[in-house]
Amino acid sequence: MCGVCGCADPANEVSMTDSQTGVKVLLRDDHAHDHGHDHDHAHSHDDHHHGHDEPHVHGPGGEIISLETAILGKNNEIATRNRGWFEGRGVIALNIVSSPGSGKTTLLEETIKRMKDKADIAVIEGDQMTSNDADRIRDAGARAVQINTGAGCHLEADMIAFAVQSLDPQTGSILMIENVGNLVCPAMFDLGEKMKIAVISTTEGEDKPTKYPHMFRAVEWVVINKMDLAPHVDFDEEACRQNILEVNPGVKIFCLSARTGDGMDAWCSSLAELKA
């Protein structure tokens, strides 16, 4: 995992920017984060570039542990602490996942505007670079922090822990975590959220759920966005629904257009019910 995705870049830098103050905080530099494993072992030159065996670390008793197990184990420990923090304060944390360009940020903008009198919403934005999305969220009326993952392709639990300290979501609020656009790695990383929500768009076609089944099995809600474009791209809504339910029979599906507002009432009502 860490050996094949952007996280393995030794020059990777992860930072967080508070969109209200503009203050930038460096979370990880030169891959100084250890994902919960020893830096010398887990990211040695031999492991990532010349070794033929699976990258590994050594446990407390000298036993060999796969790198993937070590990464996810440490992440899950922090995610459990995050979840306890959220539950203790009545914060509903939602992990919004999608491929790039599905309309996640537009969906969040419209949700914030429509629910401003019903719920306090705070947002953690995840992107490899720029603070564009956090700026848009702030303009829509919500507090936001931007996490830039550099070459990293997903958010991790420790990043959320840092961001929450700065954001300090109110008791009883909804915390939207807009993950990095990617339908692979975010499926494996628990952030401490109440649930994952996938956003797909009509312009992506009907087969995304069957192409990325691990992600769609990990979510509880799926939003099919850009329904206003469906007639122009020959999108088959029924086929898409069938593909989603084939992978995850218990998932809840919303069809909407964040741009035109069609279907947004049902989405916002469900969020309000979730909060209640």
Side-chain angles (χ1 to χ4, degrees):
M1 183 187 309
C2 203
V4 297
C5 74
C7 297
D9 185 348
N12 192 33
E13 176 183 290
V14 179
S15 62
M16 180 183 72
T17 304
D18 188 319
S19 65
Q20 300 294 118
T21 64
V23 175
K24 180 177 179 178
V25 179
L26 200 61
L27 303 185
R28 298 176 180 173
D29 188 13
D30 293 329
H31 211 55
H33 70 296
D34 61 9
H35 283 304
H37 53 258
D38 184 88
H39 182 85
D40 292 335
H41 287 296
H43 291 284
S44 70
H45 185 73
D46 288 339
D47 277 346
H48 282 306
H49 299 286
H50 297 293
H52 296 287
D53 297 327
E54 181 181 5
H56 65 273
V57 295
H58 295 287
E63 68 276 18
I64 293 176
I65 303 173
S66 75
L67 183 56
E68 179 174 335
T69 300
I71 294 170
L72 291 178
K74 183 61 176 179
N75 181 83
N76 290 342
E77 288 178 11
I78 301 173
T80 298
R81 293 201 293 269
N82 288 348
R83 184 170 288 106
W85 193 95
F86 294 141
E87 291 177 352
R89 290 161 179 77
V91 173
I92 305 297
L94 305 174
N95 185 0
I96 315 296
V97 298
S98 81
S99 55
S102 65
K104 293 193 302 299
T105 309
T106 302
L107 175 63
L108 293 184
E109 286 176 305
E110 294 306 310
T111 302
I112 291 163
K113 293 173 183 177
R114 288 169 175 265
M115 297 189 68
K116 62 181 180 180
D117 297 325
K118 300 176 182 178
D120 181 78
I121 298 178
V123 180
I124 296 174
E125 283 288 345
D127 279 304
Q128 290 188 317
M129 296 292 175
T130 84
S131 62
N132 296 350
D133 288 352
D135 293 340
R136 289 172 58 184
I137 294 299
R138 180 193 60 203
D139 291 343
R143 293 178 302 116
V145 294
Q146 178 77 53
I147 296 177
N148 290 128
T149 60
C153 53
H154 57 270
L155 294 175
E156 297 179 22
D158 62 335
M159 301 177 193
I160 301 305
F162 276 112
V164 165
Q165 291 177 25
S166 173
L167 199 55
D168 193 21
Q170 296 182 15
T171 299
S173 65
I174 297 175
L175 174 64
M176 299 285 198
I177 304 169
E178 183 177 346
N179 217 311
V180 179
N182 179 3
L183 285 175
V184 182
C185 291
M188 297 179 283
F189 284 84
D190 182 9
L191 306 179
E193 72 270 15
K194 181 177 180 63
M195 67 175 170
K196 289 181 175 67
I197 300 173
V199 180
I200 58 176
S201 65
T202 57
T203 56
E204 298 173 71
E206 303 88 3
D207 59 353
K208 274 290 188 294
T210 52
K211 283 185 173 182
Y212 301 94
H214 294 293
M215 176 59 79
F216 286 87
R217 290 190 192 108
V219 305
E220 295 184 38
W221 291 2
V222 174
V223 175
I224 305 175
N225 192 19
K226 304 186 183 182
M227 287 301 297
D228 55 310
L229 298 180
H232 308 290
V233 294
D234 296 325
F235 178 76
D236 188 334
E237 178 186 337
E238 184 57 31
C240 187
R241 285 178 174 271
Q242 290 177 359
N243 287 336
I244 293 170
L245 295 175
E246 177 184 333
V247 173
N248 188 344
V251 78
K252 185 172 185 176
I253 302 172
F254 301 86
C255 288
L256 55 83
S257 168
R259 188 180 70 85
T260 66
D262 290 342
M264 285 293 295
D265 287 344
W267 160 255
C268 291
S269 294
S270 293
L271 288 175
E273 291 172 5
L274 192 65
K275 179 178 180 297

